[in-house]
Amino acid sequence: MTAQHPRGVLDTSTLILLPRLDDEAVLPAEPLITAVTLAELSVGPLVAASDEERVARQAHLQQAEADFQPLPFDAPAARAFGSVAASLRRAGRKTAARAYDAMIAATAMANGLPVFTCNPDDFAGIDGLEVVAVPMPGTQ
């Protein structure tokens, strides 16, 4: 089975769960990540509760850095962020509470790409964003 989308942005949750997904055919043929996802992953080792967790999170970050050339949060993404923030506000959601997700959505929109996520509710209410729900591992 081939992927429905040729290219798409994996959000941070999907990237983290990537090795455990039940069906990779739901992913785009060319999965991409954003610089915002690398920023979010960079926090993980610094706030880990144990050395074991810190090592695992650092390894995950380094693997993502090795496997992907991230899309930047650049001027077009910054302009798209305004639209994302306004959509979230109209939907009664606070942009600051989901700032990483809003910036990932803006980067995807600026590049004309869908977001692939195991947590589609994180992107609910964003006008003009195509969201592709990726089943959580073990739910198919």
Side-chain angles (χ1 to χ4, degrees):
M1 176 188 256
T2 59
Q4 178 181 354
H5 294 277
R7 300 174 79 218
V9 173
L10 307 181
D11 78 329
T12 308
S13 67
T14 305
L15 179 65
I16 290 169
L17 293 171
L18 197 56
R20 297 180 24 221
L21 293 180
D22 296 325
D23 183 8
E24 291 184 15
V26 300
L27 298 175
E30 182 184 356
L32 305 164
I33 66 168
T34 71
V36 176
T37 290
L38 284 183
E40 192 171 6
L41 288 174
S42 295
V43 175
L46 302 173
V47 298
S50 68
D51 287 340
E52 182 178 286
E53 183 180 354
R54 183 174 295 103
V55 168
R57 289 180 178 193
Q58 184 66 35
H60 200 82
L61 169 62
Q62 289 173 323
Q63 190 66 56
E65 290 173 332
D67 290 347
F68 294 94
Q69 180 63 40
L71 296 171
F73 188 82
D74 54 10
R79 286 190 294 278
F81 183 82
S83 175
V84 169
S87 290
L88 290 171
R89 185 173 287 176
R90 282 191 299 274
R93 300 182 71 201
K94 295 183 179 180
T95 307
R98 304 297 318 171
Y100 292 126
D101 293 333
M103 293 174 76
I104 290 167
T107 304
M109 289 174 66
N111 287 278
L113 298 168
V115 170
F116 287 73
T117 180
C118 292
N119 298 314
D121 289 346
D122 290 350
F123 297 91
I126 300 175
D127 299 333
L129 177 66
E130 182 181 359
V131 177
V132 179
V134 175
M136 290 290 278
T139 62
Q140 286 189 329

